[in-house]
Amino acid sequence: MSMSTADDHAVAAEEVLSEAEYRDRLRDLPPSAKLVAKVLESDSPLSQGQLAEESLLPDRTVRYALNRLEEVDLVDSRYSFRDARKQVYYLQH
């Protein structure tokens, strides 16, 4: 019996990554994704604009980094409680 993609993400979100697994997933990502992850380690949740401000990266680069981090299930997002028009991002480990 196979699980759907939504089920896969739900299972992945429930798992707590070990430090070794976290570093392994991060290893092959571009430097911008590593920097965004580092910023989120120290301060999260943050919006895309806040991440750009903190990392000194352009918005487009932050967007790319977040997409790469989401692909390997290291980052997740939710709507901001302060402004429902914005999403905030946080690490899953």
Side-chain angles (χ1 to χ4, degrees):
M1 189 160 108
S2 66
M3 294 172 33
S4 71
T5 306
D7 290 338
D8 291 343
H9 288 295
V11 169
E14 291 175 4
E15 294 175 3
V16 175
L17 294 178
S18 68
E19 187 65 28
E21 177 67 20
Y22 172 74
R23 293 175 65 83
D24 195 44
R25 289 186 187 187
L26 202 57
R27 181 170 286 116
D28 294 330
L29 294 178
S32 60
K34 292 173 183 172
L35 177 58
V36 167
K38 192 67 172 169
V39 170
L40 286 172
E41 277 181 8
S42 64
D43 190 19
S44 72
L46 293 173
S47 69
Q48 182 179 320
Q50 290 169 319
L51 281 166
E53 188 176 309
E54 290 293 319
S55 66
L56 303 177
L57 293 171
D59 286 338
R60 184 176 178 181
T61 304
V62 170
R63 201 167 35 250
Y64 173 75
L66 287 169
N67 286 335
R68 295 298 307 271
L69 289 164
E70 285 177 336
E71 287 172 3
V72 295
D73 294 322
L74 287 179
V75 74
D76 204 0
S77 64
R78 64 169 169 75
Y79 288 102
S80 171
F81 296 129
R82 291 186 180 151
D83 186 349
R85 298 171 295 176
K86 294 183 180 181
Q87 287 195 335
V88 291
Y89 299 87
Y90 56 93
L91 291 177
Q92 288 195 38
H93 85 281

